[in-house]
Amino acid sequence: MDWMPLLSTLTGAVIGIAATLIADRNRWRREEARHALELRRAVYTEYAAALKDAGEEIRAVALGDHMSESARDAAVREAFRRTGLHTASERLWLMGPPLVVAAGNEAFHSLRRIRDAYARGVAVGSTEDRTLIQERRTAMAEMRRLMREDLGIGPLGIE
């Protein structure tokens, strides 16, 4: 019996199956990478938006009239809490790479310093407020830069 045609057929089948498996695995990896990128993009957007919303909320409260220091403190802290920033922060901690998480954490803490200042009665537009706002802008710019880098998007060049 001539084994050559059978071996050729078997070899061809093995090569075909292996090529299909390799192609499927590569396709799966690309899809997983694309999905992870989209998920990080959504998390980054949610976090940056929550930071912005929280900043606007506490500023609005700080600009309002309050009958007492404790009422102002409670109002500023409640405005900070209701923005969903803590949930967005946890998502960032779960999904982001270490450099992005560290930058996001710095942006969070810079906003929290502003919150605490407003709660103490620091006036919007005061010297202390302007210094804290500048620190927040710097932290936000660095966070966005790292997020864009992680997503494969070039720098804006406007911050």
Side-chain angles (χ1 to χ4, degrees), residues 42-136:
V43 167
Y44 294 170
T45 302
E46 177 188 18
Y47 187 66
L51 280 169
K52 256 192 142 138
D53 289 345
E56 291 300 317
E57 289 289 327
I58 63 174
R59 181 180 168 82
V61 170
L63 287 169
D65 292 327
H66 301 283
M67 301 196 50
S68 69
E69 285 183 34
S70 62
R72 179 184 55 243
D73 180 74
V76 168
R77 291 179 189 286
E78 178 56 30
F80 191 83
R81 264 192 303 273
R82 72 174 169 246
T83 61
L85 180 56
H86 290 95
T87 301
S89 176
E90 286 304 314
R91 285 190 180 115
L92 179 68
W93 277 79
L94 290 172
M95 295 299 302
L99 287 175
V100 172
V101 171
N105 197 43
E106 179 53 37
F108 176 86
H109 286 285
S110 69
L111 182 60
R112 206 162 69 178
R113 286 188 292 272
I114 294 169
R115 178 204 65 190
D116 293 346
Y118 289 162
R120 284 193 324 269
V122 169
V124 173
S126 68
T127 302
E128 184 177 352
D129 180 48
R130 285 193 303 273
T131 300
L132 291 169
I133 294 292
Q134 186 53 51
E135 289 173 5
R136 177 178 176 239

